[in-house]
Amino acid sequence: MGGVPSTPLSSQTQDTAEYLIGTFVGEKSFPLGSDFWQKLLELPFSLSWPSDRVEDACELFAKNNYYTRHLTKILIHLALCLQESISNSGSSASLNVKSLNAVYLSRVFLKYWIEHAKNEMTEELYLSLDENEAIPNKLSGDYKIENLVMRNVLSFIGTIAISPGTYVLHHELLDFLLVTMSTQLLAGPSPGPEDVNPFIDAIMGQDPSLVGQVVHTLLNNYMLRPHIPLNNATHSVFTGGSDQGVLQRVSSAAANLMLLPLTYLVSSSGDGSRSSLADISLHLLLILIHYRKRVVADDSLTDRSEDNASLDHMSKQITYFSENPFCKALENARDIEFDRTDIEGNAHNGPLVRLSFASLFDTLGMCLSDEASVLLLYSLIHGNSDFLEYVLVRTDLDTLMMPILETLYNASKRTPNHIYMLLIILLILSQDSSFNASIHKLILPTVPWYQERRLHQTSLGSLVVVILIRTVKYNLSKLRDVYLHTNCLATLANMAPHVHRLSAYASQRLVSLFDMLSRKYTKLSQMRDEKFSTGKGNVIEDSITDDMVVFS
């Protein structure tokens, strides 16, 4: 059976599944038009293979794919099924099942390749057909296999609405994208000109209108937070059943690969509003908008000699980051309720992503305990001027500010990256004078999570001052991060000209901070003077230098 050891099974359906999977990973090559592919994709898989057996099957498939090109063929069938589903508006249950099976198979073996790649990724995948085979006419065009697959996957995600019948397929396609884009793990933090990531590079080359649809869908998934309709669930990953099939079992493991480049993004609070589809949509969006690839261009310089009129042409290589269309689409997101371009009549480059800023604002307020949501908020207020303006004019700033301040209050339980991103967000917001004035006018009845003291009828601005001072003291005693320290003090400096009716407790904390810093500065100055008079070597000098950096 294709080199995969079989197990005794009582059902004929299971025997057929065993044979088809074994044949798929085996040595025999089946052309694209063979009935084998229809039988493979229409079969309801119910096998239960142990992980070591799945590993053996993946290893055998990797060995034989050079001759069979079955990976390319299963990807082409995936593209065909998705294209037909799009033309049927996703209403064909049989096409959805075939697409699901194609996604399972593709992702299982792609995950294995990505984890075990030794040479050039594209060379090991053999993403091409034999010379005697051609891409079906339905998919004809000047496309590479990776371009063909990514175009259809993104088209399905961007155009087919999520319904009970398509929910699982949407989720699996998002998982598939995360696995295919994880080839970045083989490169450095910033892919260089020589690094090849075939699938994410193909995604970045898609039509801008399709990019806009995908960004809109991912943001909508994050805001609407749809849940799996359990009565329609066909995937044991969602039902939690113990009788997992081979594809379901391994595809669940493959989905975990998405967490590797996002380790610092998954320290969530586990609240009741969690949605698996919303989480995976957010992670995918963050990977897409923050992908930057360096490219090399030749810059020709012309030098005219003083002795003759001849021109000496010199060229030098210039490295720069290619433009990210998904980042551009996020920056172009506009409020569906109010679009400045409609009023001012300004032309706009590229498609607009229209969504409800109100829903996005409220969703972010609920989810800021999750680092992924914090990174999305930072990306929006840093890159999208319209969303930043929307946030600044909201009268209920406590919706965003209270989760941010509570997280900073519990800084010891959070990662430094999480804290740092929140402080940058506060620093950006504090650059606006209206924000600084508004937070001092907004009165909080109580702050239940603040334990050191009962805070009643205190202004949001006073609470910001208290939490920032608390963060400064925590940083001085634990983290000793000069940039975190600078951001806290810079935010306080931005707020200073607009402070109004600061609470007695916040004023007391300010005086306490000044007293602590002044005493520390005086002590360091004395130590420096003693060093010059006693000449005790470099130990004191290094200690003073480290401390002075924090206070500089």
Side-chain angles (χ1 to χ4, degrees), residues 179-463:
V179 170
T180 59
M181 292 190 300
S182 62
T183 55
Q184 298 174 71
L185 296 173
L186 304 177
S190 179
E194 303 300 324
D195 295 322
V196 178
N197 298 294
F199 294 102
I200 192 169
D201 288 341
I203 291 174
M204 292 298 156
Q206 298 301 318
D207 185 80
S209 61
L210 178 57
V211 169
Q213 290 175 337
V214 172
V215 171
H216 180 269
T217 297
L218 296 178
L219 285 172
N220 263 345
N221 290 348
Y222 174 68
M223 292 185 294
L224 299 177
R225 316 189 75 72
H227 289 272
I228 176 71
L230 293 178
N231 56 332
N232 291 282
T234 59
H235 197 317
S236 57
V237 169
F238 301 107
T239 59
S242 59
D243 189 22
Q244 289 185 326
V246 57
L247 296 179
Q248 288 90 339
R249 179 191 299 274
V250 182
S251 63
S252 175
N256 292 332
L257 186 62
M258 72 180 181
L259 300 179
L260 295 179
L262 294 168
T263 302
Y264 75 101
L265 293 177
V266 293
S267 57
S268 54
S269 62
D271 56 69
S273 63
R274 302 287 300 183
S275 164
S276 177
L277 190 64
D279 291 343
I280 195 173
S281 297
L282 177 56
H283 291 162
L284 178 62
L285 178 63
L286 293 174
I287 291 175
L288 289 171
I289 64 176
H290 290 289
Y291 178 75
R292 293 292 187 277
K293 184 172 184 178
R294 288 176 291 152
V295 295
V296 176
D298 290 332
D299 182 36
S300 296
L301 298 178
T302 302
D303 179 41
R304 182 180 296 272
S305 174
E306 296 180 357
D307 298 330
N308 54 63
S310 64
L311 298 178
D312 296 325
H313 294 281
M314 299 178 298
S315 64
K316 67 176 182 178
Q317 288 188 334
I318 297 179
T319 303
Y320 64 95
F321 288 102
S322 59
E323 187 175 83
N324 184 319
F326 289 88
C327 181
K328 191 70 174 177
L330 186 70
E331 292 174 355
N332 289 340
R334 298 293 181 267
D335 191 0
I336 197 172
E337 301 294 335
F338 175 79
D339 188 357
R340 180 181 298 171
T341 56
D342 292 339
I343 296 177
E344 299 179 357
N346 296 330
H348 191 275
N349 294 326
L352 283 175
V353 178
R354 298 177 181 270
L355 63 147
S356 171
F357 278 5
S359 296
L360 184 55
F361 181 91
D362 292 338
T363 304
L364 286 167
M366 291 189 303
C367 302
L368 285 181
S369 58
D370 181 10
E371 289 185 60
S373 295
V374 174
L375 183 55
L376 176 61
L377 176 59
Y378 165 76
S379 302
L380 284 166
I381 68 171
H382 180 265
N384 190 312
S385 58
D386 279 50
F387 185 78
L388 174 60
E389 183 177 341
Y390 177 84
V391 170
L392 294 174
V393 300
R394 287 281 296 230
T395 57
D396 57 340
L397 284 170
D398 55 314
T399 301
L400 282 184
M401 293 297 297
M402 290 300 283
I404 291 175
L405 297 176
E406 183 177 2
T407 303
L408 291 175
Y409 177 78
N410 296 304
S412 60
K413 301 177 182 178
R414 304 295 180 179
T415 64
N417 286 331
H418 196 172
I419 301 303
Y420 192 64
M421 281 191 294
L422 290 173
L423 290 175
I424 293 177
I425 290 171
L426 285 179
L427 181 60
I428 294 174
L429 294 176
S430 69
Q431 293 173 355
D432 184 82
S433 58
S434 63
F435 168 83
N436 294 323
S438 298
I439 59 175
H440 286 285
K441 295 177 182 177
L442 201 158
I443 304 300
L444 304 172
T446 184
V447 185
W449 43 263
Y450 195 87
Q451 300 296 320
E452 282 82 351
R453 182 187 180 114
R454 290 186 178 181
L455 299 179
H456 294 293
Q457 298 299 318
T458 187
S459 68
L460 179 59
S462 297
L463 182 61

Side-chain angles (χ1 to χ4, degrees), residues 484-541:
L484 187 148
H485 184 78
T486 301
N487 282 333
C488 289
L489 297 181
T491 304
L492 288 171
N494 288 341
M495 294 173 57
H498 309 279
V499 169
H500 179 67
R501 292 185 178 178
L502 196 65
S503 69
Y505 181 60
S507 301
Q508 178 188 355
R509 303 309 297 163
L510 268 177
V511 173
S512 174
L513 175 65
F514 176 77
D515 178 65
M516 182 193 69
L517 294 179
S518 61
R519 283 189 289 105
K520 185 72 172 177
Y521 183 81
T522 301
K523 180 180 178 181
L524 292 173
S525 298
Q526 292 175 351
M527 290 176 63
R528 184 181 58 183
D529 294 340
E530 291 176 2
K531 179 185 76 72
F532 288 114
S533 61
T534 60
K536 288 187 177 181
N538 295 328
V539 177
I540 297 179
E541 181 179 1

Side-chain angles (χ1 to χ4, degrees), residues 76-193:
I76 290 176
H77 278 285
L78 171 60
L80 280 169
C81 292
L82 292 176
Q83 183 171 286
E84 292 184 46
S85 294
I86 293 170
S87 62
N88 288 285
S89 301
S91 58
S92 174
S94 61
L95 283 173
N96 288 343
V97 170
K98 291 167 66 176
S99 299
L100 274 170
N101 290 335
V103 170
Y104 293 159
L105 283 169
S106 303
R107 190 178 56 198
V108 167
F109 296 108
L110 278 172
K111 173 183 178 289
Y112 177 85
W113 255 303
I114 292 170
E115 290 181 337
H116 296 84
K118 298 178 181 177
N119 301 314
E120 179 62 44
M121 174 63 64
T122 52
E123 293 179 1
E124 292 191 16
L125 293 177
Y126 303 112
L127 295 175
S128 62
L129 293 171
D130 293 329
E131 295 180 357
N132 59 346
E133 282 197 87
I135 295 177
N137 292 331
K138 295 180 181 179
L139 299 173
S140 61
D142 184 18
Y143 294 108
K144 296 181 179 179
I145 298 300
E146 54 267 35
N147 290 339
L148 181 68
V149 174
M150 291 298 105
R151 177 169 58 89
N152 283 280
V153 170
L154 295 178
S155 295
F156 186 93
I157 293 173
T159 59
I160 302 301
I162 296 176
S163 66
T166 63
Y167 181 99
V168 177
L169 181 53
H170 267 275
H171 197 291
E172 294 305 314
L173 288 174
L174 295 177
D175 265 350
F176 173 78
L177 288 177
L178 286 170
V179 170
T180 59
M181 292 190 300
S182 62
T183 55
Q184 298 174 71
L185 296 173
L186 304 177
S190 179

